[in-house]
Amino acid sequence: MAVLEIFSIIASPIIGIVGGALQRKHERDIYREDTKRISAKYDHEEKVYAFEMERAALQGALDAQEGERDIALADMEGSLDVFKAGIKAESDLSKIVWGKSKLGDIANFMRAIIRPSITIYLTAIVSVYAGYSLLTVGLTDENRYLMLAMVSSFEMTLAFWFASRSGHNKSSFNDGTYSRN
């Protein structure tokens, strides 16, 4: 028994040291695995946070684009409404007949007086300016260009007005929304 007691006295600290070393190794392994798990958890949370931030930024950009689109659509709808109202007004003006209403007679008179008024106005302005310049200063480079511009605009306007008159070859258009005689 003495051998067994001596062996237990010698072996006990060795077994304790080996057991402690094995336990320390096991604890280090657990600590390393726990550190990996915590690191993976924080990496995942960081990636989720970055993803959520990117998603929020994209959602903000999408909301801004939708807002701009809605503004553009509202603007286009408003422009289309104005365009349709203009077509209806022009169509209604072209349906006015002389002698049926005072407002209609005034509208027809105003439409009929535009061409002669512009023709008389341009003739008067070109004549007055040309006569005044030629009688007071004479023909200089400065007023020559201005008179050429005035005469050119006068001729272009007259040519446009008279070329766009319907004359005896009247044409009409009617598509159900817009009509013009």
Side-chain angles (χ1 to χ4, degrees):
M1 203 58 118
V3 175
L4 205 51
E5 289 173 355
I6 290 179
F7 179 72
S8 78
I9 290 175
I10 293 174
S12 290
I14 293 173
I15 291 174
I17 289 173
V18 169
L22 290 175
Q23 181 174 347
R24 283 290 189 185
K25 181 184 178 305
H26 179 67
E27 286 175 355
R28 278 194 309 269
D29 290 344
I30 288 175
Y31 178 77
R32 189 175 321 123
E33 293 301 318
D34 202 29
T35 302
K36 285 181 186 177
R37 184 186 57 78
I38 290 171
S39 177
K41 177 182 172 188
Y42 287 130
D43 285 347
H44 175 71
E45 287 178 2
E46 189 175 311
K47 288 178 183 174
V48 167
Y49 177 75
F51 172 75
E52 290 296 328
M53 289 297 293
E54 185 178 346
R55 188 173 144 232
L58 289 174
Q59 185 64 42
L62 179 65
D63 291 343
Q65 287 177 350
E66 286 177 352
E68 290 173 4
R69 183 198 66 210
D70 292 343
I71 291 170
L73 284 175
D75 186 42
M76 286 172 58
E77 287 173 357
S79 296
L80 186 61
D81 291 343
V82 168
F83 182 64
K84 285 180 179 177
I87 288 174
K88 183 171 178 355
E90 177 67 24
S91 178
D92 291 344
L93 275 177
S94 66
K95 292 177 186 171
I96 296 173
V97 178
W98 285 98
K100 288 198 174 182
S101 72
K102 286 209 182 272
L103 186 59
D105 290 347
I106 292 170
N108 274 333
F109 175 74
M110 293 306 288
R111 287 178 68 202
I113 198 72
I114 289 175
R115 287 180 198 205
S117 299
I118 290 178
T119 304
I120 292 168
Y121 173 75
L122 287 173
T123 303
I125 290 297
V126 169
S127 301
V128 167
Y129 180 76
Y132 175 76
S133 291
L134 290 175
L135 290 175
T136 58
V137 182
L139 192 61
T140 64
D141 283 340
E142 196 174 272
N143 66 7
R144 183 171 64 92
Y145 289 123
L146 187 56
M147 281 198 293
L148 283 173
M150 289 176 68
V151 169
S152 294
S153 65
F154 171 66
E155 290 173 344
M156 183 173 48
T157 305
L158 281 181
F160 170 76
W161 286 130
F162 288 108
S164 65
R165 291 179 61 164
S166 58
H168 66 280
N169 295 326
K170 285 191 173 185
S171 60
S172 64
F173 177 79
N174 188 353
D175 68 352
T177 302
Y178 177 75
S179 66
R180 178 82 187 222
N181 295 329

